[in-house]
């Protein structure tokens, strides 16, 4: 497991583009045949990917967790952005098609990730936070998520928010997770930008080609910085930072939050006129 130490609210202002990327961006995801995990000091979150091919892959025990197995004191949210596959949790099998979500509860011990077709492998994206209680592992297909339509074509931010791991659908401890799909012709997400000092958030951008990029904006409203991200890249957002983006085409991003509460609307909006 790799370790990621982020910059604080003052030092990021003096960092180069390369230093900002090293502090906040996770760009080694979705390696075929491998489990890739990064542990960040922001709320002790773990972000990673699992791309099984011929053989099943598992979550390794790691000294960074100080536990006997990965989920001994953790919960995990998983969303599949590749081919069909199966996740087996303590003997129970969950079929995972494109954009299906799986919440894996604390104390789940034996977890295996497989692909139905090694030539078109599943690409499991995961985010994990510490969990204080044991709940129930729950599968959520895309149709069973809560869908919220927002924005407009006029403002270039017509989008659908798909909330798959959230209260009322999944009984999680602190993890809230889902994905936002932008319509063709729309490029702005999270408009207006906001912070939520009671929670951290991790974005992972995908569904755009190699010729396009997303410009992710971070930092305090009065001191924003931009990170230029290729598809399949995650970015860590501390509680003090805004998180917003504009792409050179439409795209989709997975968001995951952990912190003091699970109230999706608990955010402090920043008027565009105050961004600099």
């Amino acid at each position: 497991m790799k370790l990621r130490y982020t910059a604080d609210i003052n030092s990021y202002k003096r960092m180069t583009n390369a230093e900002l990327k090293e502090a906040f961006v996770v760009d080694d995801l979705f390696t075929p045949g491998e489990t890739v995990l990064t542990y960040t000091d922001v709320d002790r979150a773990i972000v990673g990917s699992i791309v099984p091919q011929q053989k099943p892959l598992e979550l390794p025990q790691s000294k960074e967790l100080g536990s006997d197995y990965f989920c001994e004191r953790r919960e995990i949210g998983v969303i599949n952005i590749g081919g069909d596959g199966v996740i087996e949790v303590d003997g129970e099998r969950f079929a995972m098609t494109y954009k299906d979500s799986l919440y894996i509860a604390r104390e789940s011990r034996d977890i295996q990730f497989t692909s139905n077709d090694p030539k078109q492998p599943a690409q499991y994206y995961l985010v994990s936070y510490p969990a204080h209680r044991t709940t129930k592992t729950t599968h959520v297909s895309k149709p069973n998520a809560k869908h919220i339509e927002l924005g407009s074509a006029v403002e270039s931010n017509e989008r659908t928010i798909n909330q798959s791991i959230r209260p009322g659908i999944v009984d999680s401890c602190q993890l809230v997770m889902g994905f936002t799909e932008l319509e063709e012709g729309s490029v702005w997400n999270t408009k207006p930008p906001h912070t939520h000092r009671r929670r951290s958030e991790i974005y992972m951008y995908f569904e755009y080609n190699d010729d396009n990029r997303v410009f992710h904006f971070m930092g305090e409203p009065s001191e924003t910085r931009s990170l230029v991200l290729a598809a399949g890249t995650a970015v860590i957002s501390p509680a003090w930072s805004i998180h917003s983006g504009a792409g050179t085409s439409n795209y989709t991003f997975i968001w995951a939050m952990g912190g003091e509460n699970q109230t999706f609307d608990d955010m402090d909006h920043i008027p565009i006129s105050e961004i600099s």
Side-chain angles (χ1 to χ4, degrees):
M1 187 178 306
K2 300 177 182 178
L3 297 177
R4 177 63 51 88
Y5 296 101
T6 55
D8 62 45
I9 194 171
N10 294 313
S11 61
Y12 85 94
K13 302 171 185 177
R14 301 183 295 273
M15 297 171 75
T16 65
N17 287 353
E19 290 169 335
L20 286 170
K21 183 178 179 180
E22 178 63 26
F24 297 103
V25 173
V26 180
D27 60 1
D28 59 352
L29 298 169
F30 306 110
T31 304
E34 294 187 14
T35 298
V36 177
L37 299 172
T38 295
Y39 185 109
T40 171
D41 59 351
V42 177
D43 285 331
R44 301 186 182 275
I46 295 173
V47 56
S49 64
I50 300 176
V51 185
Q53 292 183 302
Q54 287 82 6
K55 297 180 180 180
L57 292 176
E58 299 180 350
L59 290 168
Q61 189 276 340
S62 175
K63 66 178 182 179
E64 284 78 14
L65 304 183
S67 57
D68 292 333
Y69 56 97
F70 192 94
C71 278
E72 184 177 2
R73 294 186 298 274
R74 282 187 164 269
E75 59 185 352
I76 308 173
V78 183
I79 296 180
N80 180 19
I81 65 166
D84 293 351
V86 173
I87 302 177
E88 184 172 320
V89 182
D90 291 335
E92 187 174 3
R93 293 169 59 85
F94 300 93
M96 297 289 291
T97 60
Y98 190 62
K99 293 182 178 175
D100 279 3
S101 302
L102 184 68
Y103 171 75
I104 302 176
R106 169 181 160 144
E107 297 183 0
S108 299
R109 182 179 287 270
D110 298 317
I111 308 170
Q112 285 197 338
F113 299 80
T114 60
S115 296
N116 292 357
D117 182 357
K119 296 181 180 179
Q120 296 180 325
Q123 297 184 59
Y124 300 111
Y125 172 74
L126 67 88
V127 175
S128 171
Y129 281 96
H132 61 277
R133 64 188 178 95
T134 302
T135 58
K136 181 180 179 181
T137 296
T138 305
H139 176 268
V140 182
S141 64
K142 180 183 177 181
N144 289 331
K146 181 175 181 179
H147 313 292
I148 302 173
E149 295 182 358
L150 291 176
S152 68
V154 172
E155 294 186 320
S156 302
N157 68 343
E158 189 175 8
R159 63 200 189 275
T160 301
I161 299 175
N162 303 273
Q163 300 175 341
S164 52
I165 300 175
R166 55 149 290 168
I169 297 176
V170 172
D171 181 22
S172 64
C173 290
Q174 63 167 318
L175 178 67
V176 180
M177 191 172 183
F179 52 95
T180 298
E181 302 167 302
L182 276 74
E183 297 295 329
E184 185 174 348
S186 288
V187 296
W188 280 98
N189 81 75
T190 319
K191 186 179 179 181
H194 62 264
T195 60
H196 29 70
R197 293 185 179 273
R198 293 152 292 280
R199 292 177 292 179
S200 59
E201 188 160 7
I202 299 170
Y203 278 10
M204 194 282 290
Y205 293 97
F206 69 109
E207 284 196 324
Y208 52 103
N209 63 35
D210 290 340
D211 294 327
N212 289 294
R213 291 292 185 270
V214 168
F215 292 73
H216 178 90
F217 300 101
M218 61 152 293
E220 292 183 284
S222 60
E223 286 280 353
T224 59
R225 300 291 184 269
S226 63
L227 296 162
V228 184
L229 306 179
T233 303
V235 57
I236 301 162
S237 296
W240 48 264
S241 176
I242 68 165
H243 31 280
S244 181
T248 56
S249 72
N250 63 319
Y251 51 90
T252 301
F253 66 99
I254 295 173
W255 43 267
M257 294 180 282
E260 294 290 345
N261 63 41
Q262 296 178 304
T263 305
F264 185 82
D265 294 332
D266 180 18
M267 58 187 74
D268 301 314
H269 289 293
I270 311 297
I272 297 293
S273 60
E274 295 182 11
I275 302 292
S276 62

